[in-house]
Amino acid sequence: MHPVKFKNPFTRKWGEDYKAEELTTIFSEFIIPLIPSFFDFPNVFLYGGSGTGKTMLLRYLSFDIQKSYFEKEKGEITNLDEFFEYSSERVNKALGRKINFLGIYSKLTEIPTSLFENKCHNKQQEQILFKFYLDLEISIKFISSLMGLIEHYTNIQNKKRIEAKILDCVKSCSDIPKSAKFSDILKHLTDKKNQIDMYLGSFDINNSGVTSNELPRFSVSGLFELFINLVEVLQTQVEEFRDINIYILLDEYERIEEHLKIVINSIIRSRNEFLKLKISLRRYGFTTSRTLNPSDFVLIGRDAELIDLEYICRHSKSKYKRLLLDIARKRLESEQFFQSRQITDIRKLLKSITIESEASNLILEKRVKLEHRKRFEAFLSLYETADFDETMKTVECDENILIEKLNMLLVKRRIIYQKRGVKKRKLYSNSEISDMATDFMRKPRERSSYFYLYEKNKLALLFQLVNEYGKYNKRKIYAGFDTFAALSGGFIAWFLDLCYSTIENTRDKGFPNDLLEIGVDLQRKAAEKVAWDFLDNVVRNLERIGDDIYYFVLNTGAFFRALYLDELLREPEPTYVNTKITGLKDTSQQIIKTAHYWSVLQSKIPMRPKEAGEPLPDVHILHPILAPVFQISYRTRGRTKLPPEDMESLITGSEADVRKLVAKYRDKPLSRIQISSGQRRLFNS
Amino acid sequence: MINGNIFRLDEYLRNNPGAFDLYIGSISFEERCLGAAKMFRKTSQNINRIYFIDYLYLLNIASKRHATMLQKDRKKRIKQQATNKKVLISLFPNAEFPYIRIRSPLMDISRFIESFFSKERVKINEAKRICVDISTFTKPFSFLLVKMFVENFKKKHLFIVNTIPAQYTTAPLSFNIWGSEIMPTYNGIWNPQNRSALIALLGFEGNKLSSILEKWSFTEIIPIVGFPAFYPGLQDRALVANTSALKNLEALHNIQYSSALDPFESYRLMRDIFNSYHSGYNVAIAPLGPKPMAFAAALLAIEHKLRIVYTFPQEYSSSYSQEIGESYLYEVNL
């Protein structure tokens, strides 16, 4: 049988890279219900890491895409009311209320701000140049969008009226000649912009006598707040725009320097009632609230709202999953191969596996000896020999290896806590354990103490089992739609990458099979590949201190992994640490802040501290996409409170330092902690 | 339209006793910075003005974990450079050795170039046969030099020398990324209404391309690999290094090839690509590959006002290349 050829529908592109016609087929409006307040506030800062869908959303709201949708269904725009009505329909449906809009999208990295420093003597001059350039950039896009909008407007009289209003506004805000016509506007503005571009591309050297042309010159004049005034003119003087929200969509705000952010902040602070700025940026990219007026500032909540898309996606799990399902469906439907076979449900395509099945698969093969029993026996021999056989009989459960592991855990806790004289914990005798386990097996859904213990610890116990059977090349299975959604950690791009790699793995592997699904092992390999790619290609290449963050992540992942092997499993599934970063050295703070900025670390609202009166800590969650690298959980469950000095060990410490740290936080003597060698030096037990 | 000829430098110098009247080279930690100078001496060339620009890349060491290692490697780099400088002084005691310490890669190089050319303006204007040795200049340096000669000195005839190392080690050229930025003075004319395309000259460090793709957005990406390469197999190193950056984008299908040694072939290929994207697109070039190809990119960018985007390294590695290989001379007619 010849392998079937097909195009992978999950090809990665950044939001800006899609052509309008591509974007209209793959964008999912299900992102909108996640952030309804985006439309409630005039000015919004939309937080999110790279790949969370911010750019896609801004582009979706832009005129280019509005036009593309309209033209696909209705042809040329001949009636403005019809256009606004139609193009807002999808948003309205997703949001549950009516919002007519026109979006002007601009990416701030298109402004060559890095060249400003060469041409300006101080930051004030740079601010003036930036304001001017920004005005030109947005105005050009704004006016070309308006031209595209009214190009085929059939009501000629109205068309002329709108053109006249726009022209009047341009004349009052710029030095365009009084005799200029509507059709001259774009050329005038583009020439002005080219003049700056030429100036920025020139050297400051006078070689007169050799060069016949004069050096490029330009002055920051002849344009004043055109796009701001144009919004006002349209909304107050042009009937067709009276109820239209004009969104100025600014992407990549975090990429511009702080003194230039101040220029945008000032526009926000002006609180022009007609202007609505929707600004996207990385988390923590809003680094200053200052404005050009030294005694004034932007106040979040008053002048703008801050919406954390990344956080929302991680915490509104069902809505996030619905969004991912819809995106995947659109992707699959866009390729004939999948469409024709009706493979459009990613949940069905990605086979999943229960924790119990995964655990029992670990010991399926004949060659595999029952390692976990051997280890438990060794534990009993070390601590208690009196009722060895009875205890072994109590814990064994051939039907469910996880129940057996839980029984072992309860026995271990009893033995160790009794030896230590710990009184606060509930400890179970062998007969209690046996009775509870039997009842649980009989009525697995009944909310018993054992039920809660099982639910709380089963995944952590599976990780222990995977480690115990590691010598048989057993790996944790990361598979199924729900797991991929959790691994992506709120990043649509990582979910798509997981799907992409999975689909790539099916090539020449007998896909499509009769069941039209992809096995868990191919998914596991894909998850590991994407995770390592993230570590090696994203984390390591972060600007300036990529290597520092890379080793910090390696240390942290290895530390967490070692904690999974805690005999007493005091904190199941550790994936985050609590540390007040102000207690760290400056350079370490910088590493942590940068890791957060690039979403290598994520945060959440801290849980109540264990000790009363303790201040709330800062939370640092390792991005779940890294879970397959370290063979740890992707859930945000187990916290480890680290004082700053121990956090320093993770940030800059050696393997030996981390080994000491593990010994401190894990119930195991130092001598028994071994470190695997090789290029990928991770901790094992 | 740009064209020219390629020569082996040693042969050209043997046949042309007064080959150049002004030469600008660099002093680097790489031994190949001596390649052309040794040949000049061997063929007893009489060059009126010789400049060896003594530049050191000394950005703040940001890495905490590797600060000691980087300090050590930096010391080694400085030491190697000082040794090479001594050799050059002994070969050309009358040459000039203007120096610059680079702490801000965006500002310092362009300011230095402006001040150097302002100071030497008269001599450069007088020179008819100018040779720029790009072997060990960093790309920002050579791009600014070329632009200065072409735009501000209206030179229509230039000689470019490139000496390749005898061997590239497996060590990366640089450590950590400082940032991806528009090359100073290569802003180009960028129309906000257009889509954008990137011509990416692939180098050995795929992370540099990833950084560019992450910062800017391009609806089309056209990667170019230097093939035939300086040495057999180097093209594979470039491809492997960039696969992960390009694979998911499906840009691997678009890969084009151009001789790593022939800037004129690269120029023609890039010009054809540019022409095919001319309408409705802004075209940028990322010169991350071999120097002759990067030189071609500079010429095309100057001619058509294209944008150059570049990933600046945080620190250079002292052991990137070994010894001196072949030297090639490119005679360029602009």
Side-chain angles (χ1 to χ4, degrees), chain A residues 11-12 16-17 19 50 110 141 193 197 201 204 207 255 500 537 541 544 548 551 587-588 653, chain B residues 63-65 107 114 121 125 147 152 176-178 181 187 190 192 207 214 217-220 244 248:
Chain A
T11 308
R12 161 79 90 97
E16 168 62 14
D17 298 350
K19 292 171 189 163
S50 182
E110 299 294 355
K141 288 194 171 171
K193 185 178 166 300
D197 283 339
D204 281 334
N207 194 23
R255 293 275 194 178
Y500 177 88
N537 299 329
N541 295 327
R544 315 208 183 170
D548 284 336
Y551 283 103
T587 45
S588 299
Chain B
S63 170
K64 191 177 178 192
R65 175 174 285 269
M107 289 286 290
E114 281 176 353
R121 195 175 70 239
N125 279 327
K147 185 158 188 188
N152 288 59
N176 272 356
I177 286 170
W178 178 80
E181 297 293 350
N187 181 35
W190 204 255
N207 57 348
E214 219 270 328
S217 295
F218 300 96
T219 30
E220 304 291 340
S244 100
N248 289 14

Side-chain angles (χ1 to χ4, degrees), chain A residues 19-25 62-75 77 83 86-87 90, chain B residues 195:
Chain A
K19 292 171 189 163
E21 57 273 22
E22 287 176 323
L23 197 138
T24 52
T25 57
S62 70
F63 172 70
D64 283 353
I65 307 298
Q66 288 180 283
K67 185 172 171 241
S68 184
Y69 270 118
F70 187 86
E71 286 180 343
K72 214 155 74 172
E73 291 284 320
K74 306 258 179 184
I77 306 164
F83 170 78
Y86 177 84
S87 69
R90 283 181 189 76
Chain B
R195 290 174 178 172

Side-chain angles (χ1 to χ4, degrees), chain B residues 229-272:
Chain B
F230 292 158
Y231 296 110
L234 291 182
Q235 73 279 5
D236 296 335
R237 188 170 162 186
L239 273 173
V240 169
N242 289 280
T243 299
S244 100
L246 296 171
K247 194 176 176 189
N248 289 14
L249 299 165
E250 295 218 319
L252 283 174
H253 300 262
N254 295 340
I255 286 189
Q256 313 269 327
Y257 294 90
S258 170
S259 168
L261 280 171
D262 187 346
F264 306 110
E265 185 188 322
S266 298
Y267 169 82
R268 286 191 294 272
L269 174 64
M270 285 189 277
R271 187 197 55 195
D272 291 347

Side-chain angles (χ1 to χ4, degrees), chain B residues 292-334:
Chain B
M293 296 173 78
F295 168 62
L299 295 178
L300 189 72
I302 294 167
E303 190 181 19
H304 294 286
K305 300 196 167 36
L306 308 186
R307 179 170 286 187
I308 298 283
V309 288
Y310 187 67
T311 304
F312 292 82
Q314 179 72 28
E315 185 78 22
Y316 284 96
S317 155
S318 65
S319 51
Y320 166 65
S321 74
Q322 283 177 349
E323 299 171 9
I324 305 171
E326 295 286 349
S327 295
Y328 296 90
L329 178 71
Y330 305 106
E331 183 183 17
V332 189
N333 300 310
L334 299 161

